Amino acid sequence: MAEYETHIVDVLIIGAGGAGLRAAAEASAMGASTAVVCKSLLGKAHTVMAEGGVAAALGNVWPEDNWKVHFRDTMRGGKMLNNWRMAQLHAQESPDRVLELEQWGALFDRTPDGRILQRDFGGHRYARLAHVGDRTGLELLRTVQHRAVDVGIEVFMECKIVRLLRDSEGHVNGAVGIWRETGKFIVFGAKSVVLATGGVGKMYKFTSNSWEGTGDGHALALWAGADLIDMECIQFHPTGMIWPPSARGLLVTEGVRGDGGILKNRDNERFMFNYISDYFKAETSDTIEEADQWYENKRDFRRPPELLPRDEVARAINSEVKAGRGSPHGGVFLDIASRRTAEDIKRRLPSMYHQFKELADVDITKDAMEIGPTCHYIMGGVRVDADTAAATVPGLFAAGEVAGGMHGANRLGGNSLSDLLVFGRRAGIGAAEHALSKEGTVTIDQEQVESIAKHALSFFDNEGKENAYAAHQALQNTMQELVGIIRTESELVRARGELHDLNERAKVVSVEGHRQFNPGWHLALDLEAMMAISQCTTLGALERQESRGGHTREDFPTPNNEVFGKVNMVTSMQGSEVQIRREPLPVMPPELQELFEEAH
Amino acid sequence: MSPESATAVEKNLQMRLWRGDAEGGEFTEYNIPAQEGEVVLDVVHRIQAEEAPDLAVRWNCKAGKCGSCSAEINGRPALMCMTRMSTLNIEEPITVSPMRGFPIIRDLVTDVSFNYAVARRVPAFQPPKLAEGEVFRMQQVDVDRSQEFRKCIECFLCQNVCHVIRDHEDNKESFAGPRFFARLAELEMHPLDTLDRRRLTSEQFGLGLCNITKCCTEVCPEGIHITDNAIIPLKERVVDARYDPVAWLGRKITGKPDPTPAAVAARFAPETLAQQQEARSAGRIGTHPETSGAGTSR
Ligand code: SF4
Ligand code: SF4
Ligand code: FES
């Protein structure tokens, strides 16, 4: 049997984005020996792409804001499919998490009286997002990165985890990975493992996600026997770049709309007024006159419809394009040039100015942007206990995008950065407590390690011509066309069949070259994860016969509160097959339910 | 669609990518049809998908936000994801090679662990104590200065071009490089930070070795004025204040502006700098940053 580089720690954290590093800082502070492993270099995680801000009811701009309002906005945005307890903890704790970042050196933009400035965002009743221009994610990631470095956490960079390890009782007790640089195996023994691997966007063709968003954590959990929930709930961000082709999918921050940007079709019509659903009528402007006054006087006027929750805006854009009123490259126009001065735009949206200038040769202070929906975020994920972030398999924890429940069927902008701080910390505590209370040392099952290693290397022995890149593109086409923003039964059934065939293709992918820094091999391994996850998404989408948030069924265009509004779609492995079942949502206590009755 | 991009579609690109490892390597030419609106990274990816599946290249965001895809394009250090093909002359072969300032791992991927080792040596931010329920108050004008440096995406292009590192490998022991001068300046100008790092900046991070060539500033994709806004003010503070803690604290509190870059630059003529370096070298701390152990492993 081969000897592998082996590390034994109390807590192993997979992923070095905001959630992973926040978890690491906490676990380490609790006295657990902690290691972080990540696929890229430290500080490159997808968290850097978050632009708009971090939502927290600090009440700096609107003193009437408090956790209850934030909680209510979050639940309503999530179409009540959220795990209420997660939404509650999130709303209650995010202000402290933001203030704590300042203790670690973060520098948010300020109000005139020197406090943290907050900006407006879709679905948030009050201006609530603490931000730094439009690079809040970078600020947050650097801050927790410096913190993690400061407390001396060991970081294993450019290392891909292939499978989790389990002990004789089925508890998770480690992981096996490969060093991307050398292709050698690395084995971790750990009493607790925290998944903080982010999202799944790479199973779609047009996505705002980086190459890392291949659903690794979702798949690792699934393969280790854990439950996933609501994997059909995927957010298509309404404003992604659509031109040039190579930049397609790249995000255009919602901050553009918060700061005055409006959506127009090819006829120059500000079309969002035609798409205000009953659910949001009471709080949305129905005339241009009213909407335009809101930017200056938020107290007396209702919000413009451009700031409806993301799912509503994405569907509206989709309808305009389908009706033939789209822009030349198949999207719609996002116009801030005619609304704000060039100076204002450059000051408030510097990264956007830069991004369009460099990539599309468009000056957003002069011309409108062409935008359309792009796969952005998965609300579904690993089923966790709200308080401890524990998954359904002992020893396993999950935080951030990889965890499900917090955002229900649709996530509000700004709630992701706060999510990863609140639940990153909680996962760190949960994992450390679990590890510190567990007696004895971790024993690694060498046979499991050996079979994982053998499996990972099998791609080099596969004969035939199947190429990882081609198989990945085929998967992306299937998902984009058949399990995209608008879904229907016949297409989902087709997708299920195609995925079955693709899964067989993915198994026989053959890798050329050697083990040292070989992206073809890494993709073959990532592809396994994406295959498993796309099946979960497709099954969930078939089973949820209603439209709710990020899941839209053409054949069931409205929500069905009596049946589907009360259940999570749970996917798990039964043998080698992904199975789906319905389970009731956790029930909200009466004192919180009242918050929703008062609102009417 | 513009007329020239329509004809560009017919064109074949001659891409010369450096292939090899620490042992050595060479440029390999790939001929691939041009497509509309691409950046260099797109073309590299197409070559990877179609012709060279094992071609090693780092990238993440493809939006100039993560700083992963640094390379040298026709010898010019740049981010591959932010270099549009239309800005290059595609009549001629286009070369893409790894950053020269760092050891090669494979193909376009280099070993940048030096930077992570230096990062570990920078003493962290230290805020003042807050009373229960108290929050920090800062004015926008005061946070602006540090915010400029916090835009850094850690692409390490500035480290790559700085001749102090590039031409003298052994300087890595005593010279942190422009990225970390920006980091030190960020902390020095942070309205809340209470730690005086000036002695460290000059003695352990080798600020004196910088002779303000500005190459780092020119290459920074974030447009951070590393020399004018970080290095020169740092030099000023380090030398001028002679580590006077009272004056230092005074400036932190009042946020007194630094002298103009030009005025300070004059004081850093090569002769002056040579003297300073001499004086400095006596106190040089010679521990080599561990490039693999001590926390950040790769
Ligand atoms: S200005 Fe200083 S730090 Fe920047 S490249 Fe020149 S010598 Fe290096
Ligand atoms: S200072 Fe500029 S060039 Fe240097 S690492 Fe940061 S972003 Fe890159
Ligand atoms: S890929 Fe992120 S900067 Fe180029």
Side-chain angles (χ1 to χ4, degrees):
Chain A
M1 229 177 254
E3 282 281 314
Y4 299 117
E5 175 187 353
T6 302
H7 301 264
I8 307 287
V9 290
D10 290 327
V11 176
L12 174 68
I13 292 163
I14 305 174
L21 293 176
R22 184 63 191 81
E26 202 66 24
S28 156
M30 292 188 56
S33 64
T34 305
V36 173
V37 25
C38 52
K39 283 209 282 191
S40 287
L41 295 172
L42 184 61
K44 308 298 179 196
H46 198 55
T47 309
V48 302
M49 297 293 284
E51 292 157 344
V54 35
L58 290 160
N60 288 356
V61 175
W62 288 82
E64 43 278 79
D65 198 11
N66 60 50
W67 77 262
K68 287 181 180 166
V69 189
H70 190 183
F71 168 75
R72 180 178 158 270
D73 290 348
T74 300
M75 293 291 303
R76 275 166 49 96
K79 306 287 150 54
M80 306 303 283
L81 199 64
N82 321 50
N83 175 319
W84 65 267
R85 176 68 180 156
M86 289 177 89
Q88 180 188 30
L89 290 170
H90 166 261
Q92 287 173 332
E93 294 177 3
S94 52
D96 283 347
R97 297 288 79 76
V98 169
L99 293 172
E100 175 180 77
L101 291 180
E102 280 200 321
Q103 297 270 358
W104 298 345
L107 283 171
F108 292 101
D109 288 349
R110 315 308 293 181
T111 61
D113 66 347
R115 292 184 298 170
I116 296 174
L117 180 62
Q118 300 184 270
R119 79 156 39 121
D120 276 296
F121 239 53
H124 291 281
R125 173 132 178 214
Y126 299 115
R128 186 177 282 146
L129 272 64
H131 61 276
V132 187
D134 53 5
R135 55 161 193 87
T136 316
L138 177 65
E139 182 72 13
L140 187 149
L141 188 68
R142 275 299 173 267
T143 305
V144 289
Q145 177 185 344
H146 289 147
R147 179 70 183 174
V149 166
D150 185 33
V151 298
I153 288 155
E154 191 157 9
V155 183
F156 295 83
M157 303 195 285
E158 301 202 305
C159 182
K160 148 104 186 169
I161 297 297
V162 181
R163 288 291 187 284
L164 299 178
L165 290 169
R166 288 196 288 166
D167 66 14
S168 52
E169 292 164 73
H171 298 191
V172 169
N173 73 341
V176 178
I178 55 165
W179 285 114
R180 286 167 27 88
E181 179 185 337
T182 59
K184 295 203 172 115
F185 289 100
I186 177 167
V187 179
F188 295 95
K191 290 178 177 172
S192 303
V193 173
V194 178
L195 299 171
T197 51
V200 305
K202 275 298 174 192
M203 66 189 186
Y204 287 92
K205 198 160 150 191
F206 301 128
T207 175
S208 62
N209 289 192
S210 81
W211 71 272
E212 294 192 281
T214 54
D216 290 19
H218 293 87
L220 292 172
L222 190 73
W223 292 326
D227 288 346
L228 306 183
I229 56 168
D230 301 331
M231 294 294 288
E232 66 282 5
C233 295
I234 291 181
Q235 180 170 82
F236 290 81
H237 193 290
T239 60
M241 282 176 84
I242 55 166
W243 198 93
S246 71
R248 185 148 184 183
L250 257 188
L251 208 64
V252 179
T253 176
E254 193 168 322
V256 176
R257 283 171 286 141
D259 285 345
I262 54 171
L263 293 166
K264 292 191 208 162
N265 60 22
R266 61 183 291 171
D267 307 326
N268 219 14
E269 181 195 6
R270 194 171 162 185
F271 60 82
M272 277 309 297
F273 290 99
N274 309 330
Y275 295 93
I276 306 168
S277 64
D278 288 346
Y279 204 69
F280 294 104
K281 265 213 164 91
E283 58 207 59
T284 310
S285 294
D286 45 17
T287 63
I288 292 184
E289 294 66 41
E290 179 177 1
D292 280 349
Q293 295 188 73
W294 173 86
Y295 301 100
E296 298 305 322
N297 179 353
K298 292 172 179 152
R299 204 166 291 270
D300 300 327
F301 298 98
R302 293 174 300 173
R303 323 163 58 82
E306 279 85 4
L307 289 173
L308 284 167
R310 291 176 173 176
D311 53 332
E312 312 270 335
V313 182
R315 273 194 303 271
I317 294 172
N318 209 61
S319 307
E320 285 297 303
V321 175
K322 271 204 168 158
R325 293 188 292 270
S327 65
H329 297 99
V332 296
F333 296 105
L334 172 59
D335 169 27
I336 187 142
S338 73
R339 317 245 321 149
R340 298 286 178 263
T341 66
E343 195 181 291
D344 260 6
I345 296 169
K346 283 192 208 164
R347 189 175 53 83
R348 301 192 52 107
L349 303 160
S351 314
M352 282 304 106
Y353 174 73
H354 201 62
Q355 182 174 316
F356 273 86
K357 195 93 198 127
E358 305 272 321
L359 294 176
D361 205 8
V362 166
D363 182 347
I364 67 168
T365 67
K366 297 200 175 78
D367 297 305
M369 299 163 248
E370 264 193 89
I371 55 91
T374 176
C375 174
H376 183 51
Y377 189 91
I378 183 157
M379 278 69 70
V382 179
R383 187 184 203 181
V384 290
D385 171 62
D387 290 77
T388 60
T392 51
V393 173
L396 188 62
F397 299 78
E401 188 170 352
V402 69
M406 162 64 210
H407 306 286
N410 175 50
R411 176 176 69 79
L412 297 185
N415 270 0
S416 173
L417 292 183
S418 42
D419 168 10
L420 51 83
L421 293 173
V422 168
F423 294 103
R425 171 176 163 275
R426 283 187 166 268
I429 296 173
E433 277 178 351
H434 178 264
L436 297 173
S437 68
K438 206 169 164 150
E439 311 226 319
T441 50
V442 178
T443 342
I444 291 168
D445 174 1
Q446 289 301 334
E447 257 172 56
Q448 271 183 63
V449 174
E450 212 48 54
S451 82
I452 295 166
K454 207 170 136 217
H455 167 74
L457 290 176
S458 69
F459 293 102
F460 286 100
D461 305 329
N462 282 344
E463 314 237 319
K465 291 232 169 328
E466 193 57 75
N467 160 318
Y469 298 92
H472 183 207
Q473 272 168 22
L475 170 68
Q476 291 180 321
N477 287 336
T478 297
M479 292 303 286
Q480 188 76 35
E481 279 164 31
L482 306 177
V483 200
I485 178 165
I486 310 285
R487 301 155 179 179
T488 189
E489 176 161 330
S490 57
E491 292 185 347
L492 291 169
V493 169
R494 241 178 77 205
R496 192 173 54 183
E498 286 185 17
L499 288 176
H500 180 83
D501 299 344
L502 277 167
N503 203 15
E504 298 307 307
R505 269 177 79 179
K507 283 185 195 152
V508 298
V509 158
S510 75
V511 177
E512 275 177 43
H514 30 65
R515 284 166 69 174
Q516 198 199 7
F517 221 114
N518 186 335
W521 183 30
H522 305 157
L523 181 58
L525 294 168
D526 289 344
L527 195 57
E528 291 190 301
M530 286 186 273
M531 285 308 314
I533 296 316
S534 47
Q535 291 179 48
C536 296
T537 295
T538 307
L539 285 183
L542 250 178
E543 185 75 9
R544 188 175 283 285
Q545 297 176 341
E546 63 163 351
S547 292
R548 183 177 297 274
H551 169 66
T552 304
R553 285 280 298 259
E554 201 168 25
D555 42 354
F556 298 95
T558 54
N560 178 341
N561 291 333
E562 287 317 304
V563 181
F564 295 103
K566 294 200 165 97
V567 291
N568 288 127
M569 291 297 163
V570 183
T571 40
S572 61
M573 288 308 273
Q574 304 295 327
S576 60
E577 295 291 315
V578 178
Q579 297 277 324
I580 187 154
R581 62 183 197 277
R582 298 178 193 178
E583 284 202 22
L585 277 180
V587 179
M588 200 188 292
E591 71 272 18
L592 291 180
Q593 263 170 26
E594 276 169 21
L595 293 174
F596 298 88
E597 281 141 27
E598 277 167 22
H600 286 283
Chain B
M1 212 181 284
S2 59
E4 59 269 51
S5 53
T7 50
V9 174
E10 316 292 316
K11 272 247 139 41
N12 242 4
L13 300 168
Q14 306 155 50
M15 299 296 293
R16 292 195 183 154
L17 309 188
W18 196 90
R19 303 285 321 255
D21 55 26
E23 247 75 297
E26 58 186 10
F27 284 98
T28 306
E29 184 161 318
Y30 299 91
N31 288 296
I32 182 164
Q35 285 182 8
E36 197 192 357
E38 285 191 317
V39 293
V40 171
L41 186 62
D42 292 317
V43 179
V44 170
H45 277 158
R46 275 201 291 134
I47 292 171
Q48 199 183 42
E50 288 160 25
E51 293 187 47
D54 59 344
L55 170 66
V57 54
R58 275 198 190 105
W59 70 285
N60 275 50
C61 66
K62 221 168 118 8
K65 290 200 177 125
C66 73
S68 301
C69 65
S70 307
E72 302 191 1
I73 298 161
N74 288 339
R76 254 195 72 244
L79 296 176
M80 285 185 271
C81 72
M82 296 304 274
T83 307
R84 266 184 292 141
M85 291 302 292
S86 62
T87 62
L88 304 170
N89 175 8
I90 62 169
E91 302 298 325
E92 299 281 320
I94 291 163
T95 65
V96 184
S97 46
M99 285 193 284
R100 255 184 294 168
F102 300 106
I104 286 178
I105 292 177
R106 208 156 83 75
D107 303 339
L108 302 176
V109 174
T110 55
D111 178 356
V112 292
S113 55
F114 162 68
N115 301 294
Y116 289 93
V118 178
R120 293 235 171 224
R121 289 164 48 213
V122 177
F125 170 71
Q126 233 177 63
K129 289 255 172 309
L130 279 177
E132 186 67 27
E134 195 188 353
V135 296
F136 292 128
R137 300 274 182 143
M138 292 176 260
Q139 291 305 309
Q140 186 64 43
V141 286
D142 296 326
V143 303
D144 276 345
R145 292 199 298 174
S146 282
Q147 277 185 344
E148 175 183 4
F149 308 121
R150 292 183 71 88
K151 289 195 302 195
C152 170
I153 58 173
E154 302 206 316
C155 65
F156 307 129
L157 284 169
C158 56
Q159 303 284 86
N160 175 50
V161 294
C162 177
H163 68 100
V164 181
I165 302 176
R166 197 165 171 139
D167 302 340
H168 311 277
E169 178 65 21
D170 29 322
N171 275 342
K172 280 190 178 173
E173 291 178 17
S174 50
F175 183 75
R179 187 304 169 237
F180 295 97
F181 297 142
R183 169 81 175 128
L184 289 159
E186 167 207 322
L187 289 162
E188 169 69 20
M189 296 175 193
H190 195 300
L192 296 176
D193 186 62
T194 59
L195 197 68
D196 185 353
R197 294 175 192 73
R198 289 172 307 159
R199 185 180 290 268
L200 217 62
T201 301
S202 103
E203 291 178 2
Q204 290 195 24
F205 294 120
L207 183 69
L209 286 175
C210 160
N211 52 356
I212 320 189
T213 59
K214 299 203 180 185
C215 312
C216 50
T217 303
E218 277 161 28
V219 82
C220 177
E222 283 296 307
I224 299 170
H225 296 95
I226 310 171
T227 26
D228 284 0
N229 293 353
I231 295 176
I232 293 175
L234 272 182
K235 280 178 179 277
E236 168 66 13
R237 290 177 181 210
V238 164
V239 177
D240 199 49
R242 306 221 181 278
Y243 313 131
D244 177 351
V246 179
W248 179 79
L249 207 63
R251 170 157 42 200
K252 288 230 79 150
I253 293 162
T254 59
K256 186 167 70 80
D258 292 294
T260 65
V264 181
R267 281 190 238 167
F268 295 96
E271 318 82 72
T272 334
L273 285 166
Q275 282 172 10
Q276 277 169 21
Q277 274 170 35
E278 197 105 321
R280 253 198 66 262
S281 60
R284 176 188 292 184
I285 308 281
T287 47
H288 190 281
E290 291 214 52
T291 47
S292 58
T296 311
S297 311
R298 63 182 326 282

mmCIF file of all heavy atoms in Angstrom, chain A residues 32 65 71 94 108 158 257 276 300 313 354 360 440 487 495 498 505 580:
data_model
loop_
_atom_site.group_PDB
_atom_site.id
_atom_site.type_symbol
_atom_site.label_atom_id
_atom_site.label_comp_id
_atom_site.label_asym_id
_atom_site.label_seq_id
_atom_site.Cartn_x
_atom_site.Cartn_y
_atom_site.Cartn_z
ATOM 1 N N ALA A 32 -9.453 24.481 18.673
ATOM 2 C CA ALA A 32 -9.353 23.287 17.836
ATOM 3 C C ALA A 32 -8.219 23.476 16.833
ATOM 4 O O ALA A 32 -8.074 24.555 16.271
ATOM 5 C CB ALA A 32 -10.672 23.061 17.097
ATOM 6 N N ASP A 65 -34.987 50.291 11.059
ATOM 7 C CA ASP A 65 -34.655 48.930 10.654
ATOM 8 C C ASP A 65 -34.259 48.106 11.879
ATOM 9 O O ASP A 65 -33.645 48.624 12.811
ATOM 10 C CB ASP A 65 -33.486 48.949 9.660
ATOM 11 C CG ASP A 65 -33.383 47.646 8.867
ATOM 12 O OD1 ASP A 65 -34.329 46.831 8.940
ATOM 13 O OD2 ASP A 65 -32.365 47.460 8.175
ATOM 14 N N PHE A 71 -35.578 39.869 8.815
ATOM 15 C CA PHE A 71 -36.085 38.493 8.809
ATOM 16 C C PHE A 71 -37.287 38.365 7.877
ATOM 17 O O PHE A 71 -37.357 37.463 7.037
ATOM 18 C CB PHE A 71 -36.469 38.111 10.243
ATOM 19 C CG PHE A 71 -37.260 36.830 10.352
ATOM 20 C CD1 PHE A 71 -36.646 35.601 10.196
ATOM 21 C CD2 PHE A 71 -38.633 36.857 10.614
ATOM 22 C CE1 PHE A 71 -37.375 34.419 10.297
ATOM 23 C CE2 PHE A 71 -39.369 35.683 10.714
ATOM 24 C CZ PHE A 71 -38.736 34.459 10.550
ATOM 25 N N SER A 94 -26.269 39.215 11.959
ATOM 26 C CA SER A 94 -25.409 39.835 10.939
ATOM 27 C C SER A 94 -24.857 41.213 11.347
ATOM 28 O O SER A 94 -23.713 41.510 11.011
ATOM 29 C CB SER A 94 -26.086 39.860 9.569
ATOM 30 O OG SER A 94 -27.356 40.416 9.636
ATOM 31 N N PHE A 108 -15.395 49.983 5.568
ATOM 32 C CA PHE A 108 -16.611 50.198 4.785
ATOM 33 C C PHE A 108 -16.767 51.676 4.462
ATOM 34 O O PHE A 108 -16.199 52.537 5.145
ATOM 35 C CB PHE A 108 -17.835 49.728 5.578
ATOM 36 C CG PHE A 108 -17.883 48.238 5.775
ATOM 37 C CD1 PHE A 108 -17.508 47.657 6.977
ATOM 38 C CD2 PHE A 108 -18.291 47.401 4.742
ATOM 39 C CE1 PHE A 108 -17.538 46.281 7.155
ATOM 40 C CE2 PHE A 108 -18.319 46.026 4.904
ATOM 41 C CZ PHE A 108 -17.950 45.461 6.119
ATOM 42 N N GLU A 158 -4.437 25.096 -3.515
ATOM 43 C CA GLU A 158 -4.433 24.372 -4.784
ATOM 44 C C GLU A 158 -4.470 22.866 -4.562
ATOM 45 O O GLU A 158 -3.624 22.111 -5.043
ATOM 46 C CB GLU A 158 -3.230 24.797 -5.630
ATOM 47 C CG GLU A 158 -3.269 26.286 -5.906
ATOM 48 C CD GLU A 158 -2.464 26.698 -7.123
ATOM 49 O OE1 GLU A 158 -1.284 26.362 -7.159
ATOM 50 O OE2 GLU A 158 -3.031 27.360 -8.023
ATOM 51 N N ARG A 257 -28.771 49.230 -10.239
ATOM 52 C CA ARG A 257 -30.189 49.590 -10.125
ATOM 53 C C ARG A 257 -30.468 50.320 -8.826
ATOM 54 O O ARG A 257 -31.254 51.259 -8.795
ATOM 55 C CB ARG A 257 -31.050 48.325 -10.260
ATOM 56 C CG ARG A 257 -31.179 47.871 -11.708
ATOM 57 C CD ARG A 257 -31.831 46.500 -11.823
ATOM 58 N NE ARG A 257 -30.909 45.445 -11.417
ATOM 59 C CZ ARG A 257 -31.233 44.371 -10.715
ATOM 60 N NH1 ARG A 257 -32.479 44.202 -10.318
ATOM 61 N NH2 ARG A 257 -30.340 43.472 -10.408
ATOM 62 N N ILE A 276 -45.221 43.902 -12.064
ATOM 63 C CA ILE A 276 -45.297 43.960 -10.604
ATOM 64 C C ILE A 276 -46.354 42.962 -10.130
ATOM 65 O O ILE A 276 -47.539 43.146 -10.375
ATOM 66 C CB ILE A 276 -45.642 45.386 -10.128
ATOM 67 C CG1 ILE A 276 -44.639 46.395 -10.714
ATOM 68 C CG2 ILE A 276 -45.647 45.448 -8.601
ATOM 69 C CD1 ILE A 276 -45.042 47.847 -10.546
ATOM 70 N N ASP A 300 -41.218 58.799 1.610
ATOM 71 C CA ASP A 300 -42.574 59.084 1.139
ATOM 72 C C ASP A 300 -42.950 58.384 -0.156
ATOM 73 O O ASP A 300 -44.096 58.461 -0.581
ATOM 74 C CB ASP A 300 -42.747 60.598 0.948
ATOM 75 C CG ASP A 300 -42.509 61.336 2.254
ATOM 76 O OD1 ASP A 300 -42.840 60.749 3.315
ATOM 77 O OD2 ASP A 300 -41.965 62.455 2.237
ATOM 78 N N VAL A 313 -37.335 39.976 -11.448
ATOM 79 C CA VAL A 313 -36.711 40.765 -12.512
ATOM 80 C C VAL A 313 -36.193 39.852 -13.620
ATOM 81 O O VAL A 313 -36.359 40.136 -14.812
ATOM 82 C CB VAL A 313 -35.576 41.653 -11.949
ATOM 83 C CG1 VAL A 313 -34.967 42.517 -13.049
ATOM 84 C CG2 VAL A 313 -36.096 42.542 -10.818
ATOM 85 N N HIS A 354 -15.057 49.908 -15.098
ATOM 86 C CA HIS A 354 -13.852 49.220 -15.500
ATOM 87 C C HIS A 354 -14.180 47.973 -16.342
ATOM 88 O O HIS A 354 -13.667 47.778 -17.433
ATOM 89 C CB HIS A 354 -13.198 48.792 -14.182
ATOM 90 C CG HIS A 354 -11.752 48.497 -14.233
ATOM 91 N ND1 HIS A 354 -10.822 49.422 -14.575
ATOM 92 C CD2 HIS A 354 -11.081 47.349 -13.942
ATOM 93 C CE1 HIS A 354 -9.625 48.867 -14.490
ATOM 94 N NE2 HIS A 354 -9.754 47.610 -14.119
ATOM 95 N N ALA A 360 -15.939 45.014 -22.825
ATOM 96 C CA ALA A 360 -16.923 45.196 -23.894
ATOM 97 C C ALA A 360 -16.666 46.469 -24.692
ATOM 98 O O ALA A 360 -17.339 46.723 -25.681
ATOM 99 C CB ALA A 360 -18.323 45.233 -23.312
ATOM 100 N N GLY A 440 -10.449 10.245 21.912
ATOM 101 C CA GLY A 440 -9.619 9.362 21.108
ATOM 102 C C GLY A 440 -9.004 10.057 19.909
ATOM 103 O O GLY A 440 -9.161 11.268 19.740
ATOM 104 N N ARG A 487 -38.748 26.117 -16.789
ATOM 105 C CA ARG A 487 -38.690 24.657 -16.932
ATOM 106 C C ARG A 487 -40.059 24.078 -17.231
ATOM 107 O O ARG A 487 -41.078 24.667 -16.899
ATOM 108 C CB ARG A 487 -38.160 24.052 -15.633
ATOM 109 C CG ARG A 487 -36.789 24.579 -15.283
ATOM 110 C CD ARG A 487 -36.496 24.517 -13.802
ATOM 111 N NE ARG A 487 -35.140 25.016 -13.542
ATOM 112 C CZ ARG A 487 -34.606 25.102 -12.338
ATOM 113 N NH1 ARG A 487 -35.279 24.726 -11.271
ATOM 114 N NH2 ARG A 487 -33.376 25.566 -12.193
ATOM 115 N N ALA A 495 -34.060 15.901 -19.961
ATOM 116 C CA ALA A 495 -32.803 16.178 -19.268
ATOM 117 C C ALA A 495 -32.379 14.976 -18.429
ATOM 118 O O ALA A 495 -31.214 14.586 -18.421
ATOM 119 C CB ALA A 495 -32.954 17.411 -18.375
ATOM 120 N N GLU A 498 -30.836 12.471 -20.713
ATOM 121 C CA GLU A 498 -29.534 12.912 -21.217
ATOM 122 C C GLU A 498 -28.473 12.850 -20.127
ATOM 123 O O GLU A 498 -27.326 12.492 -20.382
ATOM 124 C CB GLU A 498 -29.627 14.342 -21.768
ATOM 125 C CG GLU A 498 -30.341 14.395 -23.110
ATOM 126 C CD GLU A 498 -30.342 15.801 -23.727
ATOM 127 O OE1 GLU A 498 -29.536 16.648 -23.295
ATOM 128 O OE2 GLU A 498 -31.154 16.021 -24.645
ATOM 129 N N ARG A 505 -20.767 8.835 -19.927
ATOM 130 C CA ARG A 505 -19.635 9.448 -20.643
ATOM 131 C C ARG A 505 -18.583 9.961 -19.667
ATOM 132 O O ARG A 505 -17.390 9.774 -19.876
ATOM 133 C CB ARG A 505 -20.120 10.637 -21.478
ATOM 134 C CG ARG A 505 -20.511 10.274 -22.903
ATOM 135 C CD ARG A 505 -21.054 11.494 -23.624
ATOM 136 N NE ARG A 505 -20.002 12.395 -24.086
ATOM 137 C CZ ARG A 505 -20.246 13.527 -24.762
ATOM 138 N NH1 ARG A 505 -21.489 13.875 -25.040
ATOM 139 N NH2 ARG A 505 -19.257 14.297 -25.149
ATOM 140 N N ILE A 580 -35.154 10.981 -4.576
ATOM 141 C CA ILE A 580 -35.775 12.205 -4.069
ATOM 142 C C ILE A 580 -36.984 11.874 -3.206
ATOM 143 O O ILE A 580 -37.693 10.902 -3.455
ATOM 144 C CB ILE A 580 -36.157 13.142 -5.242
ATOM 145 C CG1 ILE A 580 -36.649 14.477 -4.694
ATOM 146 C CG2 ILE A 580 -37.207 12.512 -6.153
ATOM 147 C CD1 ILE A 580 -36.448 15.612 -5.651
#
